[in-house]
Amino acid sequence: MRLVRYGAAGAEKPGLLDGEGAIRDLSAHVCDIDGVALAPSALAQLAALDPASLPKVMGDPRLGSAIARPGKFICVGLNYADHARETGKEPPAEPILFAKASNAICGPNDDVEIPRGSEKTDWEVELGVVIGTRAKYVSEDEALDYVAGYALVNDVSERAFQSERGGQWTKGKSHDTFGPVGPWLATRDEIADLADIDLWLDVDGERRQTGNTRTMIFGVATLVSYISQFMTLEPGDIIATGTPPGVGLGMKPPVFLKPGQVMTLGATGLGEQRQRMVQA
């Protein structure tokens, strides 16, 4: 299934995409696409529905974040070997974890703000993993059983705030709109091979990032298991698994985003996003 949330910001409704890509309303079956709806039993009930029996949503509504109100937004840094090299760093021996504040989450096509005082706002296309079952101390062998599905994430970053202002990375990652998620959540059965997902990102139509999950240092099962050793992962939590090469920081000389520019990005099986940069 491909699950979506559609409607005005703060008033999104749950839906699914039918075989022709039309939105079908799920409001009679679930309150939202959240941790409750992502439980295995709840997903099984939704999968049993005939999309043609659901009300068809007309027009072209705004899409909200594919996941409502995640308790945690955990990110993994330097998780692609070629991206680590472009930043001049050695590939990490263990996953580098940091948090992105939940206020950063927005719809896949919403405007993205450049923070006041920012000179180094950057882009990062990523595979997002969404938890469906509470996970604590899980093994790698069983880790994917705790996953509800996957979504496209843009881990927008302010590099000066992240690395030049002291402390940890969170303040460079958490500005409002710095976490577009969607357009849809693809349930596990929608993704044939987690180790062969193409990712790309353009700025004003010029290709910046081209990558594939085959160059990830730590795969999805490893990450879910690893993170669950340090914190309990709850249904609806999002893990952004790292970005391939081509970020603005890695260009020579570095290039960063300006108001009016447009990012477009996508990944195999996870759809596309489009965001216009605006000044906060």
Side-chain angles (χ1 to χ4, degrees):
M1 288 183 296
R2 293 178 296 169
L3 302 174
V4 300
R5 300 175 64 247
Y6 68 94
E12 293 92 346
K13 296 180 180 180
L16 63 78
L17 298 182
D18 65 19
E20 297 180 349
I23 299 175
R24 299 286 181 159
D25 182 63
L26 283 174
S27 298
H29 299 276
V30 291
C31 294
D32 209 337
I33 307 302
D34 56 12
V36 174
L38 296 176
S41 59
L43 287 179
Q45 291 177 359
L46 295 181
L49 297 173
D50 176 6
S53 70
L54 302 170
K56 187 174 183 178
V57 178
M58 307 307 292
D60 186 23
R62 169 191 173 272
L63 294 178
S65 165
I67 311 302
R69 300 177 298 279
K72 292 189 286 297
F73 196 166
I74 304 299
C75 302
V76 183
L78 302 176
N79 194 34
Y80 283 69
D82 34 13
H83 171 57
R85 286 193 296 268
E86 77 172 346
T87 63
K89 296 181 172 62
E90 291 295 321
E94 293 189 38
I96 296 172
L97 305 181
F98 61 93
K100 202 173 183 78
S102 59
N103 62 274
I105 294 172
C106 66
N109 303 313
D110 291 347
D111 290 346
V112 167
E113 294 183 354
I114 295 179
R116 296 178 185 178
S118 166
E119 296 181 352
K120 297 183 179 181
T121 298
D122 204 349
W123 54 84
E124 295 190 35
V125 59
E126 306 201 6
L127 165 67
V129 178
V130 182
I131 300 299
T133 301
R134 189 172 187 268
K136 182 175 183 177
Y137 297 125
V138 303
S139 68
E140 284 192 37
D141 290 343
E142 62 183 357
L144 295 185
D145 294 338
Y146 292 80
V147 173
Y150 306 96
L152 182 65
V153 172
N154 190 354
D155 175 22
V156 185
S157 309
E158 210 302 333
R159 302 302 189 184
F161 297 177
Q162 175 184 350
S163 301
E164 300 171 21
R165 300 287 296 273
Q168 299 177 337
W169 291 3
T170 303
K171 62 190 172 189
K173 298 284 189 172
S174 297
H175 187 79
D176 296 350
T177 73
F178 267 25
V181 178
W184 58 71
L185 178 139
T187 50
R188 289 200 326 244
D189 56 295
E190 291 277 335
I191 304 300
D193 187 354
L194 289 172
D196 189 20
I197 296 174
D198 291 322
L199 302 103
W200 59 270
L201 182 144
D202 295 348
V203 178
D204 289 343
E206 182 175 345
R207 184 58 45 93
R208 298 297 192 187
Q209 288 187 273
T210 303
N212 187 283
T213 53
R214 72 173 66 93
T215 69
M216 287 173 67
I217 299 168
F218 306 104
V220 172
T222 299
L223 292 174
V224 172
S225 173
Y226 181 86
I227 296 169
S228 78
Q229 311 305 308
F230 300 96
M231 65 193 80
T232 300
L233 292 168
E234 301 286 356
D237 286 352
I238 300 171
I239 302 169
T241 59
T243 198
V247 298
L249 179 66
M251 299 180 70
K252 301 188 185 309
V255 175
F256 299 109
L257 292 161
K258 295 178 173 56
Q261 291 189 303
V262 174
M263 295 182 287
T264 51
L265 55 147
T268 307
L270 299 177
E272 298 183 6
Q273 299 182 358
R274 182 185 186 277
Q275 298 113 23
R276 183 173 64 95
M277 305 305 299
V278 299
Q279 186 64 54

